[in-house]
Amino acid sequence: MKKKLFAGLCLGLLSLILCPVSTPEAAAPVPMKTAWLGENEAFAVWYAKKHGWDKEVGLDVSMLRFSSGKAIVEGILAYDWAVAGCGAVPALTAALNDRLDIIAVANDESLANALYVRADSPILKVKGANPAFPEIYGDRASVAKKLILCPKATSAHYLMTAWLKALGLSEKDVRVRYMDPTPALGAFSGGLGDAVALWAPLTYEAEQKGFKAAALSNHCGVSQPVLLVANRTYADKYPQRIEAFLKMYFRAVDMLRATPPENLAADYSRFFKEWTGLELTPEQAVQDLKAHPVFTLNEQLALFNAAQGKSKLQTWLGDIAAFYASIGSVRETDRPRLERMNAVNDVYLKAISPKP
């Protein structure tokens, strides 16, 4: 009897070794579709995906590529993506339809937008005309009636307007020709216009051509956050998956904050080639990484903190909504609803933050 019992135990142990009992940890990763532009904010997720960090939180993240933030939010139903990175305006517009939640800030592009003039421009002869903005060049006399090339209803347009306002001017005081950024830089290089408003990576091309920055967005007191947004229907159904994504994402953010940009240049150039088809030199890769600061989990919680009535992020977004309303891209009737900022949702950030 003892021999039979011993033999049975051995067979049982052998079966456990050969056919281990499945556990939740051994379950297949859950597919999650995400949506991105060919811009810096996709790098953290691309890097995490390359290193298998999505699998470690139980997800199999796929990255869909779109041509614009508008295309991302308009594709929410057709592509059923769960999380996306896009600019503030498409996010706020989609929020009017209750389609998404703003769950984090991907980066701040205020260092990546610039207004360029030629090296011999009279605008460069005056700096700090407004003491509140000591880093910007130009004054009323040197800028009034100048021709500015600018992509309409974009972050570069927002910068141009802020620059003019800091100098005591408005668009009515200058001549503006609205052009997409690539042809705008081409036309400016060919001699058209007195200034051109651009964003990275075209800013690097402008600098290579010898043009000089008269202003950056942060010099003009404006912040330009790129947002992480969640498909509200998906997030309400699978909140743990959104939390898992954010855990992976902040692992990548912590890596970005801890690693010198020079050590990431090769990976970033590879990412940029894959996502935009453009080549970045190692120097440009480092510059672009530095021009897109990212925020840790604790910093994000501070940005979302509305204990004093309105969070810092809500203030940024309110200023952006006011600008786009002023140029007719957001209806005035929608502006009060936008300013309530009901789409700004820190519940997922709080869910993954360490408990005291």
Side-chain angles (χ1 to χ4, degrees):
M1 178 65 70
K2 288 181 180 179
K3 288 182 178 179
K4 289 182 179 179
L5 180 59
F6 180 75
L9 288 171
C10 289
L11 286 172
L13 287 170
L14 182 61
S15 67
L16 285 172
I17 294 170
L18 295 177
C19 303
V21 175
S22 62
T23 63
E25 289 76 17
V30 177
M32 174 186 274
K33 288 189 283 188
T34 63
W36 307 92
L37 304 179
E39 297 184 4
N40 171 273
E41 62 268 16
F43 177 62
V45 180
W46 178 90
Y47 188 95
K49 177 73 177 173
K50 292 291 185 185
H51 287 77
W53 295 349
D54 56 337
K55 305 296 194 302
E56 294 182 27
V57 295
L59 300 175
D60 182 9
V61 171
S62 59
M63 299 179 69
L64 307 175
R65 202 170 317 166
F66 289 81
S67 60
S68 68
K70 181 181 179 182
I72 286 177
V73 298
E74 288 179 348
I76 191 170
L77 298 178
Y79 293 92
D80 194 30
W81 50 259
V83 176
C86 68
V89 173
L92 290 170
T93 302
L96 288 171
N97 298 319
D98 298 323
R99 289 182 180 176
L100 54 79
D101 287 318
I102 296 168
I103 60 171
V105 176
N107 61 43
D108 182 0
E109 286 199 314
S110 60
L111 292 173
N113 285 262
L115 191 139
Y116 285 91
V117 297
R118 296 183 181 83
D120 61 354
S121 172
I123 291 171
L124 294 178
K125 297 184 183 300
V126 184
K127 185 179 182 182
N130 182 340
F133 304 99
E135 296 301 318
I136 67 174
Y137 289 86
D139 59 6
R140 287 185 62 91
S142 61
V143 174
K145 299 183 180 179
K146 293 294 189 290
L147 175 60
I148 304 172
L149 312 183
C150 178
K152 188 174 184 178
T154 64
S155 56
H157 191 179
Y158 185 31
L159 157 63
M160 182 195 73
T161 302
W163 177 62
L164 292 174
K165 183 178 180 180
L167 300 179
L169 300 167
S170 71
E171 288 193 39
K172 294 179 181 178
D173 299 308
V174 296
R175 295 172 294 144
V176 181
R177 183 168 299 185
Y178 297 116
M179 304 176 67
D180 287 339
T182 298
L185 179 56
F188 191 67
S189 301
L192 179 66
D194 301 290
V196 60
L198 302 167
W199 56 77
L202 289 174
T203 51
Y204 311 137
E205 186 176 342
E207 289 167 7
Q208 286 178 334
K209 292 177 180 292
F211 302 137
K212 304 298 182 182
L216 303 180
S217 293
N218 68 323
H219 293 166
C220 300
V222 297
S223 295
Q224 298 185 320
V226 175
L227 305 172
L228 290 185
V229 297
N231 179 333
R232 184 173 293 173
T233 300
Y234 183 99
D236 287 346
K237 189 174 182 180
Y238 304 113
Q240 294 85 2
R241 296 182 189 177
I242 302 299
E243 293 163 20
F245 175 88
L246 287 175
K247 288 177 182 177
M248 176 204 74
Y249 172 77
F250 284 114
R251 181 177 178 182
V253 167
D254 290 341
M255 178 279 300
L256 286 169
R257 292 287 291 267
T259 308
E262 292 79 6
N263 294 355
L264 291 169
D267 280 327
Y268 193 74
S269 295
R270 192 177 307 119
F271 153 77
F272 216 83
K273 175 68 173 176
E274 181 178 314
W275 272 77
T276 71
L278 300 175
E279 301 276 1
L280 285 185
T281 67
E283 294 76 18
Q284 289 172 336
V286 170
Q287 188 175 358
D288 203 53
L289 285 164
K290 289 181 177 179
H292 292 87
V294 293
F295 304 92
T296 65
L297 175 57
N298 284 337
E299 289 168 342
Q300 300 262 358
L301 289 166
L303 288 173
F304 277 73
N305 186 348
Q308 303 302 317
K310 183 177 284 190
S311 71
K312 191 170 187 178
L313 176 59
Q314 288 173 330
T315 299
W316 290 351
L317 297 179
D319 291 343
I320 292 170
F323 162 69
Y324 281 93
S326 73
I327 63 171
S329 293
V330 173
R331 293 181 303 178
E332 277 294 335
T333 54
D334 288 332
R335 185 173 165 185
R337 187 177 172 194
L338 282 178
E339 290 180 344
R340 288 198 294 273
M341 297 294 162
N342 291 339
V344 177
N345 185 352
D346 64 357
V347 64
Y348 303 106
L349 294 174
K350 289 178 177 177
I352 66 170
S353 63
K355 301 299 182 286

